[in-house]
Amino acid sequence: MSAPPIEIHDLTVSYNQKPVLWNIDVEIPEGALVGIIGPNGAGKSTLLKSVMGLLEPSSGWVKIYGDPIEQQRATVGYIPQREEVDWDFPITVRDLVLMGRYGHLGLLKRPRAADRKIADEALEKVGMTAFANRQIANLSGGQQQRIFLARALAQESRVYLMDEPFAGVDATTEKAIVKLLEQMRSEKRTLLVVHHDLQTASEYFDHLLLLNRRLVAFGPTGEVFNEELLRKTYGGHLTVLSRAGEAIRQSKSGKK
Amino acid sequence: MSFGEFLPEFFSNTLRLTGEFFASLLGQGDAAQATINAVLGACLAGLTCGSIGSFITLRRMSLFADMLGHAVLPGVAVGFILAGSKSTPALLLGSLAAGLLAAALTRAITSHSRIKDDASLGITLSLFYAIGIWLLSWITRASPELSSEASGLNHYLFGNPAVIHTVDLVFLASAAVVILAVLTLFFKELTASIFDPSFTSSIGLPQRFFDGLLLVLLTLVIVVSLKILGVILVAALLVIPPATAYLLTDKLQRMVLLSATLGALAGFGGVYLDFVLEIGVGPAIVCLSFLGLMAAFLGSPRHGILGRYLLHKRLVLKTLRENLLTSAWRIGERGDELAAIPISDLASERGEPPSFTRQLARRMKGSGWGRLEHENDHLVLTASGRERARALMRGHRLWELFLQREASLAPDHVHAGAEEIEHFLDAETLRELEDLLDNPETDPHGKLIPPKSLPGETP
């Protein structure tokens, strides 16, 4: 059997010596539309960043189709949280979407007509063509999220990691994003989406990854979306993990 | 000297000196060469600082640039001590080393303690500057021979383009070429890495390399610009022209070009002002740059306060005129449709003095919505005025109905909100309202909602 799109093995990740993710073990099957849910501070964004290799794990590893992420960069597209960037930055919507092509271009090469075409098609898919030449400021939250999605589409990746694409968007955008996710799934792409709304989680995703510092459960939505597992995810039992994490940080960082 | 005598003399002096300045730009001889060198140096420094400064300010490294400016001073001193002379390459190498060391120290302090960025910058800045001052005074006291050789090191402290030699220009020009080439080659990578570092790393571009690259280029430009502006003012050219350009454009390419141009202009203007007024090139450059910034701050079409004020005023005026239209509509629907509405009726409907209403009505001509007739006592609406009135009233009453049905507001609570929104409803929202409310005919007050189009006119 060929290697899965994402395989996470015994992954522990720390910030300032404080573990925020403990011993995560999971294999994401090809073509799955996975919702990552869990309370604030559960390590959802940290998990995505670790898969992308943006954070160095304390232990464990992540493989993309059997290879380290460094060899599979073009396979995986990443959408950071909207708040991570400065929306007053002086570039146009089209320029931002074109960034999705940079990974394919390599250093020093300029985007070609083919790249511009791909970027324009991506804009079309998210319904933002009319905004192509606008500056990125003056966009609504939903529009910002859509052009982030367009940039990801322009990457033409097989696997996508999305950090809260539904955060702070209007109803129209939410519908558009859901439609897009479903279309991407029908194209056999694998999608990992951080989601904060339990009400829609079971409706939008075919797999759920329940996370709170450690992996509570992963599986088809029908099997894991139940009261017992959700209580385990959101319940109070796991505060002991964050206390333990704090203790480890203090002992390791000495007097700091 | 009285003010009356001072002014004419000042002007004639200025005029004479301006003539001399431009003559020396075309002239020959040592004095002319010094002026030409100063102008070339200041323009090159302004051009280079302005272009890389755009990336620095967007990366929010302005204060970092200020720190680096101060921090290169001990490098100048150490370069001098090691070389035993004011050899330009030695001084530049020393400064470069000091700058990079200061950058490393700043980063080390924040990453190994709880001290935050700004405090860490403050610490490094003052420490390196202090060491620089200490070394310079030590050089002057240490030995008579060093000391006589050292005269002129102060130029690095305060800047003095009058002592720009050919060798300085060669370094400045080479640095400019290197920096502009790197910025052009890596334009897309630098843009991405500044705008969205996480994404840039995620596509495998070496984010740290670009951070480092920016740091080295920044140190380089500071080092070669020192003799123009001095360690204290060098940050001005790195920050003010880019900030000005940032207010004027929304495109990064344009921002870089504009900022480089502004920097070069400030450099030229600074040398000229110093020639005429003798206020020092550095201060002149900073003040000129700031004047440019103020002009953009006031006059920038989209980001200046004057532009925003005019836009606001236009909106207020439009709202006033549109309100007059809806008043006219309300009068019209109460009685017989009047071809000409008496100003007195309008004024009492609106609860304002007739003189005010008349003034407003006179301005309706500007938007083509109506005009005053019958000895300025009646308002006559044009077809487009009636059409606009209809659209406004329709939006107003649909919105009232929407507020009552969907937001469950009482009928006497919905008017104020609709009064405001009626000026801003676009076609798409209107269509949504119509669908949502199922094309109703009356509003919460039982008033008729105007039809989609006026009878006898195409929709």
Side-chain angles (χ1 to χ4, degrees):
Chain A
M1 200 185 109
S2 64
I6 304 176
E7 183 186 359
I8 302 175
H9 177 79
D10 195 25
L11 182 78
T12 298
V13 187
S14 315
Y15 274 124
N16 296 326
Q17 269 112 31
K18 179 174 161 184
V20 283
L21 280 178
W22 302 73
N23 312 89
I24 309 289
D25 257 305
V26 70
E27 265 183 40
I28 310 291
E30 181 99 56
L33 173 49
V34 184
I36 303 179
I37 57 176
N40 287 334
K44 303 187 290 285
S45 300
T46 307
L47 182 65
L48 291 197
K49 288 196 164 151
S50 310
V51 173
M52 282 321 295
L54 303 179
L55 294 172
E56 198 65 34
S58 324
S59 67
W61 45 257
V62 177
K63 281 187 176 161
I64 308 294
Y65 289 109
D67 297 318
I69 177 75
E70 288 74 21
Q71 294 166 27
Q72 291 281 3
R73 289 268 175 221
T75 317
V76 194
Y78 171 61
I79 307 186
Q81 282 186 28
R82 212 156 34 84
E83 293 79 34
E84 278 192 30
V85 307
D86 169 17
W87 289 94
D88 277 334
F89 198 85
I91 52 170
T92 60
V93 168
R94 182 180 277 121
D95 287 342
L96 188 148
V97 176
L98 259 181
M99 280 183 192
R101 302 303 302 159
Y102 288 6
H104 299 267
L105 287 171
L107 289 176
L108 304 178
K109 300 227 179 65
R110 306 213 163 255
R112 276 182 277 214
D115 298 302
R116 288 176 195 286
K117 196 167 157 255
I118 292 171
D120 284 344
E121 282 165 5
L123 269 175
E124 176 88 52
K125 277 187 195 155
V126 299
M128 289 290 289
T129 306
F131 293 81
N133 293 316
R134 289 247 210 126
Q135 208 268 334
I136 56 167
N138 315 323
L139 295 179
S140 72
Q143 291 167 336
Q144 293 176 348
Q145 195 64 60
R146 287 198 216 186
I147 59 172
F148 255 29
L149 266 167
R151 178 175 70 177
L153 290 177
Q155 288 182 268
E156 301 187 316
S157 307
R158 284 171 72 188
V159 179
Y160 280 107
L161 311 181
M162 311 184 180
D163 206 342
E164 300 240 18
F166 294 107
V169 305
D170 52 282
T172 322
T173 301
E174 178 145 352
K175 265 185 236 154
I177 297 178
V178 171
K179 213 173 114 196
L180 211 60
L181 293 182
E182 271 158 11
Q183 191 192 334
M184 289 162 91
R185 177 178 50 182
S186 72
E187 294 162 359
K188 283 280 160 223
R189 299 180 206 270
T190 309
L191 307 158
L192 234 67
V193 181
V194 172
H195 193 56
H196 63 287
D197 183 21
L198 270 182
Q199 297 213 312
T200 49
S202 60
E203 182 188 328
Y204 291 170
F205 304 105
D206 54 38
H207 284 67
L208 287 179
L209 192 160
L210 307 188
L211 190 74
N212 191 350
R213 304 299 177 97
R214 62 183 184 89
L215 183 71
V216 179
F218 171 74
T221 305
E223 289 170 30
V224 298
F225 195 74
N226 58 53
E227 206 189 324
E228 188 204 339
L229 285 176
L230 285 176
R231 191 178 301 134
K232 253 177 129 178
T233 312
Y234 287 87
H237 310 295
L238 291 161
T239 50
V240 67
L241 270 186
S242 71
R243 274 210 303 279
E246 182 57 29
I248 290 176
R249 182 187 77 82
Q250 286 186 356
S251 67
K252 276 196 183 166
S253 60
K255 290 196 178 73
K256 180 180 161 182
Chain B
M1 200 190 326
S2 79
F3 194 68
E5 292 166 33
F6 169 77
L7 218 55
E9 188 173 325
F10 173 78
F11 276 120
S12 74
N13 259 337
T14 306
L15 212 62
R16 180 176 53 80
L17 285 166
T18 303
E20 275 178 30
F21 175 75
F22 285 99
S24 63
L25 285 188
L26 303 168
Q28 283 180 356
D30 284 351
Q33 193 58 46
T35 313
I36 292 170
N37 280 354
V39 166
L40 280 177
C43 286
L44 269 173
L47 178 92
T48 324
C49 286
S51 48
I52 190 175
S54 300
F55 295 89
I56 298 298
T57 49
L58 287 173
R59 183 78 177 72
R60 305 193 184 183
M61 283 168 69
S62 305
L63 277 179
F64 190 84
D66 191 27
M67 182 281 285
L68 274 183
H70 287 73
V72 295
L73 189 60
V76 173
V78 170
F80 173 78
I81 293 170
L82 291 183
S85 73
K86 280 190 315 238
S87 126
T88 306
L91 301 190
L92 292 187
L93 272 179
S95 326
L96 203 59
L100 295 178
L101 195 67
L105 180 66
T106 311
R107 190 157 301 173
I109 291 177
T110 37
S111 60
H112 293 290
S113 79
R114 57 191 295 184
I115 294 171
K116 305 290 184 285
D117 278 343
D118 59 331
S120 162
L121 284 173
I123 293 165
T124 326
L125 182 152
S126 38
L127 175 72
F128 274 67
Y129 191 60
I131 295 175
I133 300 277
W134 170 59
L135 283 175
L136 283 186
S137 66
W138 179 79
I139 289 169
T140 345
R141 273 183 288 117
S143 68
E145 54 199 277
L146 261 187
S147 146
S148 67
E149 174 71 24
S151 72
L153 276 184
N154 270 351
H155 297 319
Y156 288 90
L157 199 51
F158 299 115
N160 186 0
V163 293
I164 298 287
H165 303 300
T166 314
V167 59
D168 297 310
L169 284 179
V170 168
F171 275 103
L172 249 171
S174 325
V177 168
V178 169
I179 288 168
L180 294 181
V182 173
L183 290 184
T184 313
L185 281 176
F186 289 112
F187 187 82
K188 80 177 200 302
E189 286 83 4
L190 283 170
T191 311
S193 84
I194 292 170
F195 171 65
D196 193 344
S198 294
F199 175 79
T200 308
S201 308
S202 86
I203 57 172
L205 291 176
Q207 174 69 29
R208 280 198 186 158
F209 169 76
F210 294 117
D211 270 352
L213 188 66
L214 217 48
L215 170 67
V216 172
L217 295 185
L218 177 61
T219 318
L220 185 65
V221 74
I222 286 175
V223 165
V224 295
S225 310
L226 273 188
K227 250 183 158 176
I228 314 280
L229 281 155
V231 297
I232 303 165
L233 293 183
V234 67
L237 267 187
L238 284 160
V239 180
I240 305 178
T244 312
Y246 182 60
L247 288 179
L248 291 172
T249 173
D250 283 332
K251 284 202 156 190
L252 184 54
Q253 286 100 322
R254 273 188 219 156
M255 177 177 163
V256 177
L257 291 176
L258 195 58
S259 164
T261 313
L262 288 171
L265 281 177
F268 181 84
V271 176
Y272 162 73
L273 268 190
D274 174 59
F275 192 92
V276 175
L277 302 174
E278 294 182 17
I279 56 173
V281 172
I285 288 178
V286 176
C287 293
L288 275 178
S289 304
F290 184 74
L291 281 180
L293 179 73
M294 283 315 288
F297 177 72
L298 292 173
S300 164
R302 284 172 64 188
H303 305 293
I305 55 172
L306 200 67
R308 286 208 304 262
Y309 170 76
L310 288 177
L311 190 75
H312 173 74
K313 224 183 134 185
R314 257 207 310 279
L315 256 172
V316 169
L317 210 79
K318 177 170 165 263
T319 306
L320 277 173
R321 287 178 194 167
E322 292 190 340
N323 285 342
L324 192 66
L325 282 180
T326 54
S327 304
W329 182 276
R330 287 199 177 92
I331 291 172
E333 71 184 358
R334 272 207 301 269
D336 306 322
E337 188 105 22
L338 295 173
I341 309 157
I343 292 295
S344 54
D345 286 9
L346 271 172
S348 66
E349 163 78 18
R350 295 161 56 79
E352 65 192 13
S355 57
F356 183 84
T357 312
R358 186 170 295 115
Q359 236 176 31
L360 199 58
R362 186 170 289 130
R363 294 196 151 191
M364 298 298 266
K365 216 172 170 180
S367 17
W369 285 339
R371 58 184 180 278
L372 279 173
E373 280 189 7
H374 309 300
E375 296 173 358
N376 289 343
D377 234 13
H378 289 76
L379 173 68
V380 175
L381 293 185
T382 61
S384 79
R386 277 201 304 278
E387 167 54 26
R388 181 69 192 144
R390 179 210 57 78
L392 285 166
M393 282 316 296
R394 182 172 170 79
H396 180 101
R397 290 181 176 160
L398 282 175
W399 190 258
E400 285 187 334
L401 201 59
F402 167 75
L403 283 185
Q404 192 196 12
R405 282 206 204 154
E406 303 294 320
S408 312
L409 288 181
D412 61 337
H413 281 47
V414 295
H415 176 75
E419 192 63 28
E420 199 169 348
I421 206 82
E422 64 184 25
H423 307 286
F424 304 104
L425 285 174
D426 55 62
E428 195 186 337
T429 320
L430 264 178
R431 233 183 342 269
E432 261 179 62
L433 278 178
E434 284 161 1
D435 288 349
L436 198 67
L437 302 169
D438 209 14
N439 289 309
E441 288 180 354
T442 53
D443 77 352
H445 314 289
K447 297 256 177 71
L448 216 56
I449 294 177
K452 278 187 187 175
S453 60
L454 289 171
E457 287 166 37
T458 42

